[in-house]
């Protein structure tokens, strides 16, 4: 989201030239609705948007429950240290100051990709560790840890439905 149409068009053109799919929101409410519907990885927003400031939008994005990390880039025309600190404390990952530079946008997006790739690899590793903690690596059968965790539930279920329970 960007309040200046020429800056918005410039950012969109830069993103598209770098191969990004671009979704545009006209206000914060629309941006938050898009984030609820779609798995957006990078959000670029102006500090001044129609229905809420960019700092508050960063807070709201960070405050929502999400299955993945969203990288936030805040754009401002002022560039004061106080505003930058407020944005970073609200959850922005990067800060761009107008006038924007295509090379700087590209560099910031490369940083975003590195961070998002690290997050994806971490999630993948954690899922694998979780899987390995419950299954034998050779047989892929559930292990003793799994049995200890699940057995009380299965005993209750067998009792509730009056079914036999066997353990091998």
């Amino acid at each position: 989201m960007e309040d200046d149409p020429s800056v918005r068009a410039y950012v969109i053109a830069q993103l598209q030239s770098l191969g990004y799919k671009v979704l545009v929101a006209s206000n914060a409410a629309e941006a938050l609705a898009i984030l609820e519907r779609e798995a957006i990885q990078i959000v670029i927003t102006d500090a001044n948007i129609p229905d809420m400031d960019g700092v508050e939008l960063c807070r709201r994005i960070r405050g929502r429950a999400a299955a993945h990390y969203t990288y936030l880039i805040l754009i401002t025309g002022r560039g004061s240290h106080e505003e930058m600190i407020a944005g970073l404390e609200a959850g922005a990952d990067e800060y761009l100051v107008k006038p924007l530079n295509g090379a700087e946008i590209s560099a910031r997006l490369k940083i975003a990709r590195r961070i998002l790739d690290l997050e994806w690899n971490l999630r993948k590793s954690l899922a694998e560790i979780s899987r390995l903690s419950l299954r034998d690596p050779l047989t892929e059968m559930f292990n003793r840890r799994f049995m200890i965790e699940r057995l009380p539930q299965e005993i209750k279920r067998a009792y509730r439905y009056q079914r036999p329970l066997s353990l091998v």
Side-chain angles (χ1 to χ4, degrees):
M1 274 184 307
E2 168 59 48
D3 60 344
D4 182 339
S6 63
V7 174
R8 180 176 40 243
Y10 177 75
V11 172
I12 291 169
Q14 287 294 315
L15 294 172
Q16 289 174 335
S17 74
L18 294 168
Y20 286 92
K21 175 185 173 192
V22 179
L23 297 176
V24 179
S26 57
N27 57 47
E30 188 179 338
L32 291 168
I34 290 171
L35 286 167
E36 290 302 316
R37 280 194 324 262
E38 304 207 25
I40 305 295
Q41 293 185 314
I42 301 172
V43 171
I44 301 175
T45 185
D46 194 77
N48 300 313
I49 49 180
D51 56 344
M52 162 187 321
D53 71 350
V55 171
E56 180 58 26
L57 179 61
C58 287
R59 273 193 202 95
R60 297 245 182 119
I61 291 171
R62 288 291 177 242
R64 69 189 181 87
H68 62 86
Y69 190 75
T70 301
Y71 197 87
L72 301 175
I73 300 175
L74 199 57
I75 300 173
T76 185
R78 294 185 291 271
S80 73
H81 286 289
E82 294 80 20
E83 186 179 49
M84 187 184 316
I85 290 167
L88 293 170
E89 286 182 346
D93 295 293
E94 287 284 355
Y95 222 84
L96 291 171
V97 179
K98 296 175 193 172
L100 299 176
N101 175 294
E104 184 179 7
I105 292 171
S106 177
R108 303 284 184 179
L109 289 170
K110 285 178 184 175
I111 294 168
R113 287 274 25 114
R114 284 195 304 267
I115 299 289
L116 292 168
D117 288 346
L118 286 170
E119 190 247 353
W120 183 84
N121 286 327
L122 177 61
R123 285 185 181 279
K124 186 175 152 186
S125 296
L126 289 173
E128 180 66 9
I129 289 168
S130 176
R131 187 186 71 73
L132 290 172
S133 74
L134 299 175
R135 291 183 179 265
D136 178 80
L138 179 62
T139 64
E140 289 294 317
M141 300 286 292
F142 287 113
N143 63 18
R144 183 172 185 264
R145 170 182 270 173
F146 180 81
M147 183 203 61
I148 290 169
E149 289 178 7
R150 288 294 301 261
L151 190 58
Q153 296 168 319
E154 296 305 323
I155 290 170
K156 288 177 186 174
R157 183 193 329 239
Y159 182 75
R160 182 174 56 240
Y161 294 110
Q162 298 178 353
R163 300 276 188 214
L165 177 66
S166 300
L167 181 64
V168 179

